[in-house]
Amino acid sequence: MSRGPARAAGDVAAQLPLDPQATVPLYRQVAAGIRDLTAAGALAEGDRLPPIRDLAQALGLSHITVSQAYSVLRADGLVRATPGQGTVIASTQGAAAERPHVGRRRGARAWGWQGHGDTTVSGDGERSVPPTIGQGEGAPSWPGFVRSPRSSILQAAVAPQDARGTSEDGTLIHLGTGQPDAALLPLAALRHAWAAALRDASPHDLLYAGPQGDPEVRAALAEYCRDLGYAAASEEVLITTGTQQSIDLVIRTFIQPGEHVLVESPGYPSALDLLENHGCRLVPVPVDAEGLRVDLLAGYIARFRPRLLYLAPTGHNPTGTVLSARRRDALRALIPDANLLVLEDDVCSELLYEGRPQPGVRIAQTRGHVLTFKSFAKTILPGLRVGCLLAAPPLLGPLAATKALTDRFTSPLAQHALRRYLQGRSVRADLARAREAYWERRDALAAALAQALPADAQWTLPSAGLNLWLALPPGCDAAEVRHLAAERGVLCAPGAAFFAVPDPAEAHLRLTFADSPPAVLGDGVRRLAEAVLTSRTRGMRQDHQASGRLPLSV
Ligand SMILES: Cc1ncc(COP(=O)(O)O)c(C=O)c1O
């Protein structure tokens, strides 16, 4: 049983001695401080800790940092999370465990969020403080410098061990994967393509090669990208191991830690984590049903002088929106004077359900400023690890040099397998089949949501891609809904993972429709709806209790 209301965030925050200059990451400092308060008797068994967002606000930290601290305490058995009650001190045993040594590191500061007037920006321009890794018994400990909080949240949330229940047929329903359906990937055709690539390769073809990629493959990729509506010549193609590497190469080649980058809000977690790891300050630009709010860009550019704008204009992750023609034009008009590079990420423009295909942001007039990333991870095979970026030759040269430093060059066998597949007979039919299936699943998911969820739940029908972005009805706690859904055998991706700067009021889930057949989606939504209604009822009950009134009906 918990004792009384949650502790006031301000009181707890005042008793936590944090040192942003320390080598110990802030989430560990917060966890250690709470452990100390428990050891000293200031917090007792059954006491409720402040809600994550309140403590984060009181400490001036991101809610991800505080959430990580609570996770550490949960893993240590010091606290437990109870739906409807929050985080409660479970045991005072072990509270006296040794405090981490809070050494200082010159110039290092914590990963966090800073207010810039009415816009909050992530990061502080320096690399994050290294958490110590490998602390298991007998394992050496060593400082690690890379953190990927959003990707970690996402991976943890969709891990099957989170779920205790199962669906009617005894299996888990995965609505959080963000993946295509493995059964719809053209593996058989790729097997042939790979075998042919290996059969026809001479030993000479498989010696060390240049970083830019095989000329024949570059020509094929340029043609494929032109068909999708991008300005592309083969000398503008750099073959990479996928978009994650393309983004990494651009950052390492052209960006200094501390520089500002405009990103979509919500946006693609792996890109946000990667940018932040490099010390970029992320400036979130809202996305609505027409895509990125291009009308806000001029103001942000004048104010932050960003070096990059990163966007996924077709099949945006997580919302599935497509940047409208009007906004594309406005963006192209702005680019020449903006003194920034535009990174245009295309992972699934082939999976378009609404409207006509549109030219990319990269057209002949903008090609000097726009780098387009083409990934085949959602349409062909995530595991092939071949993609490309398009860049004007003066930019491409330095990028190719960075590629050579990174991994020399992408496997020529994989490059040729992709080329043979793209030039083969089945590619169009394979894409059309996948698109048809995902289209049907998108509609099935939307229909099930409309039927099962309260009328004030909101979403925009995705125009492209694999996912639907669901705004939970007011009164629901997103973490609780996810937890309750997992108990019912349904895994969803947490909205919190998709933001550059956490929003305490955020209550979204990303639902992947591509990965499950319509009947499974319907079953998943019924279970999710139960979770939503349970969370909402609890929230209403608590509101009524807090206001001293009895609920009229629950
Ligand atoms: C916006 C976006 N870009 C790129 C990717 C995939 O990148 P990669 O080619 O590195 O697999 C994804 C995958 O989810 C994505 O959502």
Side-chain angles (χ1 to χ4, degrees):
M1 284 288 289
S2 68
R3 295 192 330 182
R7 289 304 186 91
D11 290 352
V12 174
Q15 297 178 72
L16 296 178
L18 303 184
D19 181 355
Q21 301 289 325
T23 49
V24 173
L26 279 169
Y27 76 95
R28 285 204 168 270
Q29 294 187 42
V30 172
I34 291 172
R35 196 177 290 122
D36 286 354
L37 290 178
T38 310
L43 289 169
E45 207 164 306
D47 278 352
R48 286 167 60 188
L49 292 179
I52 289 172
R53 65 185 62 151
D54 294 359
L55 186 57
Q57 202 167 21
L59 291 168
L61 298 175
S62 82
H63 84 300
I64 294 176
T65 305
V66 176
S67 155
Q68 284 176 323
Y70 282 15
S71 302
V72 168
L73 294 171
R74 251 201 324 273
D76 292 350
L78 192 81
V79 303
R80 69 187 138 73
T82 314
Q85 294 192 339
T87 304
V88 176
I89 303 289
S91 155
T92 48
Q93 284 178 2
E98 204 184 316
R99 210 167 200 291
H101 172 68
V102 183
R104 274 168 177 255
R105 197 168 150 260
R106 259 190 97 231
R109 281 197 246 127
W111 184 83
W113 325 99
Q114 276 106 58
H116 284 244
D118 58 357
T119 309
T120 307
V121 172
S122 98
D124 62 3
E126 297 189 44
R127 291 191 65 166
S128 48
V129 178
T132 300
I133 54 172
Q135 289 166 317
E137 217 177 303
S141 83
W142 199 255
F145 291 93
V146 175
R147 291 184 60 204
S148 46
R150 298 170 191 82
S151 313
S152 308
I153 291 177
L154 211 48
Q155 275 158 19
V158 299
Q161 59 266 28
D162 252 27
R164 269 170 255 143
T166 52
S167 67
E168 272 157 22
D169 67 355
T171 55
L172 273 175
I173 298 178
H174 293 272
L175 301 184
T177 65
Q179 299 238 40
D181 184 342
L184 287 164
L185 296 173
L187 192 57
L190 269 159
R191 269 198 197 105
H192 286 296
W194 188 282
L198 187 55
R199 185 194 61 218
D200 294 347
S202 75
H204 179 81
D205 294 333
L206 300 178
L207 295 175
Y208 279 100
Q212 197 178 342
D214 182 278
E216 206 183 349
V217 184
R218 281 193 277 122
L221 289 176
E223 189 183 337
Y224 187 85
C225 289
R226 279 196 300 276
D227 284 350
L228 290 177
Y230 300 106
S234 61
E235 63 275 14
E236 293 176 312
V237 175
L238 173 66
I239 298 177
T240 66
T241 56
T243 291
Q244 201 64 13
Q245 182 175 61
S246 299
I247 303 172
D248 190 47
L249 294 176
V250 172
I251 305 171
R252 291 202 287 134
T253 309
F254 296 120
I255 303 302
Q256 295 272 16
E259 289 183 319
H260 287 91
V261 175
L262 303 180
V263 293
E264 293 164 317
S265 179
Y268 175 41
S270 302
L272 301 179
D273 279 347
L274 187 55
L275 287 158
E276 207 161 57
N277 262 290
H278 191 72
C280 298
R281 296 174 176 205
L282 306 183
V283 182
V285 184
V287 170
D288 65 19
E290 253 188 84
L292 186 79
R293 286 281 308 276
V294 173
D295 58 310
L296 299 176
L297 288 180
Y300 285 152
I301 290 169
R303 185 154 158 211
F304 295 106
R305 311 238 162 265
R307 305 294 294 143
L308 298 177
L309 160 64
Y310 165 79
L311 79 163
T314 312
H316 171 258
N317 184 359
T319 64
T321 53
V322 173
L323 190 66
S324 66
R326 195 172 58 98
R327 290 195 188 173
R328 277 173 203 250
D329 285 345
L331 176 56
R332 291 191 201 101
L334 193 123
I335 288 171
D337 299 324
N339 195 28
L340 52 67
L341 293 176
V342 176
L343 311 184
E344 176 182 30
D345 183 347
D346 176 355
V347 68
C348 57
S349 61
E350 298 93 333
L351 302 174
L352 183 71
Y353 315 116
E354 303 290 333
R356 294 168 147 291
Q358 299 187 48
V361 178
R362 184 174 215 275
I363 56 171
Q365 294 79 353
T366 56
R367 72 200 309 165
H369 306 269
V370 181
L371 290 91
T372 298
F373 307 143
K374 183 63 201 137
S375 169
F376 300 96
K378 305 295 172 186
T379 47
I380 297 182
L381 204 64
L384 188 64
R385 304 317 299 155
V386 186
C388 69
L389 67 77
L390 305 172
L395 299 173
L396 194 132
L399 287 167
T402 309
K403 165 88 179 158
L405 286 178
T406 304
D407 64 353
R408 295 189 192 275
F409 55 94
T410 298
S411 154
L413 279 178
Q415 289 184 45
H416 279 288
L418 176 65
R419 173 186 64 78
R420 284 172 180 273
Y421 173 69
L422 292 178
Q423 292 175 337
R425 263 179 295 156
S426 72
V427 59
R428 282 176 193 279
D430 293 342
L431 281 173
R433 196 177 53 242
R435 183 165 150 270
E436 285 297 315
Y438 298 156
W439 196 336
E440 186 193 356
R441 292 172 187 194
R442 177 201 72 156
D443 290 349
L445 176 65
L449 290 172
Q451 197 182 7
L453 285 191
D456 46 0
Q458 290 182 352
W459 64 92
T460 302
L461 197 62
S463 298
L466 313 178
N467 308 300
L468 179 146
W469 182 239
L470 174 68
L472 292 168
C476 286
D477 178 280
E480 187 181 55
V481 170
R482 265 202 325 101
H483 184 81
L484 292 167
E487 283 184 342
R488 289 160 174 76
V490 178
L491 299 177
C492 309
F498 296 86
F499 288 93
V501 176
D503 173 0
E506 160 355 85
H508 287 88
L509 299 176
R510 188 194 65 181
L511 305 179
T512 301
F513 52 82
D515 207 1
S516 312
V520 174
L521 292 170
D523 188 11
V525 169
R526 275 190 295 283
R527 285 153 193 271
L528 175 62
E530 277 175 32
V532 167
L533 293 172
T534 306
S535 170
R536 182 136 95 165
T537 306
R538 280 182 186 163
M540 280 161 49
R541 205 183 281 139
Q542 277 166 7
D543 284 352
H544 282 288
Q545 278 164 358
S547 66
R549 285 182 285 128
L550 285 173
L552 292 175
S553 75
V554 286

